């Protein structure tokens, strides 16, 4: 039988998880900064400073806009479904269940009919 976890243990676990998450986020930010600098150096060598700035700026702007788009889709509350539509969905489910039950019954009857007596 499992014991319930104490509030102190839950708080401790939550702070540990938050600390690990913050450390991971910091590592990601440092990694992104180094990758940006490396990309800057490579792009300046290949295209010059103006094009390098444009490419990196467009990349970050694109990632930011994509992130905002995903966040706005996730943050939308589900649409309210009118009660009669919900009732129709349940009746459709009942119809499918009856249809599948009839199909299974027919399959069993067909198998019995093929067997020699």
């Amino acid at each position: 039988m499992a014991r319930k976890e104490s509030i102190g243990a839950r708080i401790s676990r939550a702070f540990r998880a938050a600390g690990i998450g913050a450390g991971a986020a910091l590592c990601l930010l440092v990694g992104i900064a180094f990758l940006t600098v490396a990309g800057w150096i490579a792009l300046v060598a290949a295209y010059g400073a103006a094009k390098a700035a444009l490419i990196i700026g467009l990349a970050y702007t694109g990632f930011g806009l994509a992130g905002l788009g995903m966040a706005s889709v996730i943050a939308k509350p589900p649409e309210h479904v009118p009660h009669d539509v919900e009732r129709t969905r349940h009746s459709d489910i009942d119809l499918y269940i009856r249809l599948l039950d009839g199909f299974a019954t027919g399959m069993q009857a067909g198998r019995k009919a093929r067997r020699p007596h």
Side-chain angles (χ1 to χ4, degrees):
M1 184 154 108
R3 290 183 354 179
K4 286 191 175 183
E5 190 177 21
S6 70
I7 292 175
R10 281 192 262 169
I11 291 172
S12 174
R13 189 166 36 90
F15 275 115
R16 238 179 318 172
I20 291 171
L26 181 63
C27 288
L28 281 171
L29 287 174
V30 170
I32 289 171
F34 274 101
L35 288 172
T36 300
V37 170
W40 173 262
I41 293 168
L43 288 171
V44 165
Y47 300 108
K51 285 186 181 177
L54 181 65
I55 292 169
I56 289 176
L58 287 174
Y60 276 113
T61 302
F63 287 132
L65 289 174
L68 286 175
M70 287 189 292
S72 69
V73 169
I74 292 170
K76 281 186 182 176
E79 289 185 24
H80 175 69
V81 178
H83 189 64
D84 56 340
V85 172
E86 190 65 33
R87 198 174 21 221
T88 304
R89 287 183 184 163
H90 288 300
S91 65
D92 287 346
I93 292 171
D94 292 339
L95 174 68
Y96 292 129
I97 289 173
R98 287 185 293 179
L99 180 68
L100 290 173
D101 185 43
F103 179 76
T105 303
M107 289 293 289
Q108 287 175 348
R111 285 187 185 133
K112 284 182 183 177
R114 275 196 266 159
R115 289 186 194 150
H117 296 279

